mmCIF file of all heavy atoms in Angstrom:
data_model
loop_
_atom_site.group_PDB
_atom_site.id
_atom_site.type_symbol
_atom_site.label_atom_id
_atom_site.label_comp_id
_atom_site.label_asym_id
_atom_site.label_seq_id
_atom_site.Cartn_x
_atom_site.Cartn_y
_atom_site.Cartn_z
ATOM 1 N N ASN P 2 15.308 1.380 -17.174
ATOM 2 C CA ASN P 2 15.322 1.317 -18.629
ATOM 3 C C ASN P 2 14.701 2.589 -19.200
ATOM 4 O O ASN P 2 14.479 3.562 -18.475
ATOM 5 C CB ASN P 2 14.569 0.061 -19.098
ATOM 6 C CG ASN P 2 13.167 -0.018 -18.488
ATOM 7 O OD1 ASN P 2 12.418 0.953 -18.509
ATOM 8 N ND2 ASN P 2 12.827 -1.172 -17.936
ATOM 9 N N THR P 4 11.814 3.420 -20.006
ATOM 10 C CA THR P 4 10.519 3.874 -19.474
ATOM 11 C C THR P 4 10.680 4.865 -18.328
ATOM 12 O O THR P 4 9.724 5.565 -17.981
ATOM 13 C CB THR P 4 9.675 2.685 -18.988
ATOM 14 O OG1 THR P 4 10.321 2.056 -17.871
ATOM 15 C CG2 THR P 4 9.477 1.665 -20.099
ATOM 16 N N GLY P 82 4.659 -13.039 -14.629
ATOM 17 C CA GLY P 82 6.052 -12.890 -14.233
ATOM 18 C C GLY P 82 6.711 -11.628 -14.751
ATOM 19 O O GLY P 82 6.175 -10.908 -15.608
ATOM 20 N N PRO P 83 7.907 -11.326 -14.236
ATOM 21 C CA PRO P 83 8.598 -10.063 -14.537
ATOM 22 C C PRO P 83 8.846 -9.812 -16.017
ATOM 23 O O PRO P 83 8.776 -8.665 -16.466
ATOM 24 C CB PRO P 83 9.920 -10.192 -13.771
ATOM 25 C CG PRO P 83 9.614 -11.132 -12.655
ATOM 26 C CD PRO P 83 8.625 -12.107 -13.212
ATOM 27 N N GLU P 84 9.163 -10.846 -16.785
ATOM 28 C CA GLU P 84 9.417 -10.631 -18.210
ATOM 29 C C GLU P 84 8.170 -10.093 -18.900
ATOM 30 O O GLU P 84 8.236 -9.160 -19.712
ATOM 31 C CB GLU P 84 9.863 -11.938 -18.869
ATOM 32 C CG GLU P 84 10.162 -11.779 -20.360
ATOM 33 C CD GLU P 84 10.506 -13.093 -21.042
ATOM 34 O OE1 GLU P 84 10.561 -14.134 -20.348
ATOM 35 O OE2 GLU P 84 10.704 -13.077 -22.283
ATOM 36 N N SER P 85 7.023 -10.665 -18.573
ATOM 37 C CA SER P 85 5.763 -10.224 -19.164
ATOM 38 C C SER P 85 5.421 -8.809 -18.716
ATOM 39 O O SER P 85 5.038 -7.959 -19.532
ATOM 40 C CB SER P 85 4.645 -11.192 -18.763
ATOM 41 O OG SER P 85 3.385 -10.729 -19.202
ATOM 42 N N TRP P 86 5.563 -8.529 -17.423
ATOM 43 C CA TRP P 86 5.226 -7.201 -16.897
ATOM 44 C C TRP P 86 6.096 -6.121 -17.529
ATOM 45 O O TRP P 86 5.601 -5.071 -17.917
ATOM 46 C CB TRP P 86 5.410 -7.163 -15.384
ATOM 47 C CG TRP P 86 4.807 -8.287 -14.617
ATOM 48 C CD1 TRP P 86 3.715 -9.038 -14.972
ATOM 49 C CD2 TRP P 86 5.257 -8.808 -13.364
ATOM 50 N NE1 TRP P 86 3.461 -9.985 -14.015
ATOM 51 C CE2 TRP P 86 4.389 -9.875 -13.015
ATOM 52 C CE3 TRP P 86 6.295 -8.478 -12.497
ATOM 53 C CZ2 TRP P 86 4.551 -10.602 -11.832
ATOM 54 C CZ3 TRP P 86 6.451 -9.193 -11.317
ATOM 55 C CH2 TRP P 86 5.591 -10.244 -10.990
ATOM 56 N N SER P 87 7.385 -6.392 -17.644
ATOM 57 C CA SER P 87 8.312 -5.397 -18.168
ATOM 58 C C SER P 87 8.072 -5.143 -19.654
ATOM 59 O O SER P 87 8.108 -3.996 -20.119
ATOM 60 C CB SER P 87 9.752 -5.853 -17.932
ATOM 61 O OG SER P 87 10.667 -4.856 -18.311
ATOM 62 N N ALA P 88 7.805 -6.213 -20.395
ATOM 63 C CA ALA P 88 7.550 -6.065 -21.831
ATOM 64 C C ALA P 88 6.277 -5.270 -22.084
ATOM 65 O O ALA P 88 6.229 -4.411 -22.983
ATOM 66 C CB ALA P 88 7.463 -7.440 -22.485
ATOM 67 N N LEU P 89 5.239 -5.526 -21.299
ATOM 68 C CA LEU P 89 3.982 -4.785 -21.448
ATOM 69 C C LEU P 89 4.195 -3.312 -21.111
ATOM 70 O O LEU P 89 3.729 -2.429 -21.836
ATOM 71 C CB LEU P 89 2.920 -5.387 -20.537
ATOM 72 C CG LEU P 89 1.583 -4.645 -20.500
ATOM 73 C CD1 LEU P 89 0.917 -4.642 -21.872
ATOM 74 C CD2 LEU P 89 0.655 -5.253 -19.442
ATOM 75 N N ARG P 90 4.907 -3.047 -20.034
ATOM 76 C CA ARG P 90 5.161 -1.665 -19.632
ATOM 77 C C ARG P 90 5.931 -0.917 -20.714
ATOM 78 O O ARG P 90 5.605 0.234 -21.053
ATOM 79 C CB ARG P 90 5.941 -1.660 -18.317
ATOM 80 C CG ARG P 90 6.402 -0.293 -17.860
ATOM 81 C CD ARG P 90 7.167 -0.414 -16.542
ATOM 82 N NE ARG P 90 7.942 0.794 -16.282
ATOM 83 C CZ ARG P 90 7.452 1.902 -15.760
ATOM 84 N NH1 ARG P 90 6.166 1.968 -15.442
ATOM 85 N NH2 ARG P 90 8.218 2.950 -15.555
ATOM 86 N N ALA P 91 6.944 -1.561 -21.308
ATOM 87 C CA ALA P 91 7.738 -0.917 -22.351
ATOM 88 C C ALA P 91 6.882 -0.614 -23.572
ATOM 89 O O ALA P 91 6.991 0.464 -24.176
ATOM 90 C CB ALA P 91 8.920 -1.807 -22.734
ATOM 91 N N ARG P 92 5.999 -1.556 -23.934
ATOM 92 C CA ARG P 92 5.140 -1.343 -25.108
ATOM 93 C C ARG P 92 4.159 -0.203 -24.857
ATOM 94 O O ARG P 92 3.949 0.659 -25.732
ATOM 95 C CB ARG P 92 4.381 -2.634 -25.425
ATOM 96 C CG ARG P 92 3.466 -2.535 -26.659
ATOM 97 C CD ARG P 92 4.243 -2.314 -27.961
ATOM 98 N NE ARG P 92 5.190 -3.393 -28.165
ATOM 99 C CZ ARG P 92 4.885 -4.586 -28.726
ATOM 100 N NH1 ARG P 92 3.649 -4.819 -29.147
ATOM 101 N NH2 ARG P 92 5.810 -5.518 -28.876
ATOM 102 N N GLU P 274 8.661 -2.122 -11.093
ATOM 103 C CA GLU P 274 9.576 -1.542 -12.074
ATOM 104 C C GLU P 274 9.457 -0.024 -12.103
ATOM 105 O O GLU P 274 10.461 0.683 -12.236
ATOM 106 C CB GLU P 274 9.314 -2.123 -13.464
ATOM 107 C CG GLU P 274 10.317 -1.641 -14.503
ATOM 108 C CD GLU P 274 10.207 -2.390 -15.817
ATOM 109 O OE1 GLU P 274 10.827 -3.461 -15.941
ATOM 110 O OE2 GLU P 274 9.493 -1.908 -16.719
#
Side-chain angles (χ1 to χ4, degrees):
N2 53 48
T4 65
E84 181 184 357
S85 174
W86 312 332
S87 186
L89 175 62
R90 174 180 164 82
R92 181 65 58 84
E274 185 170 274

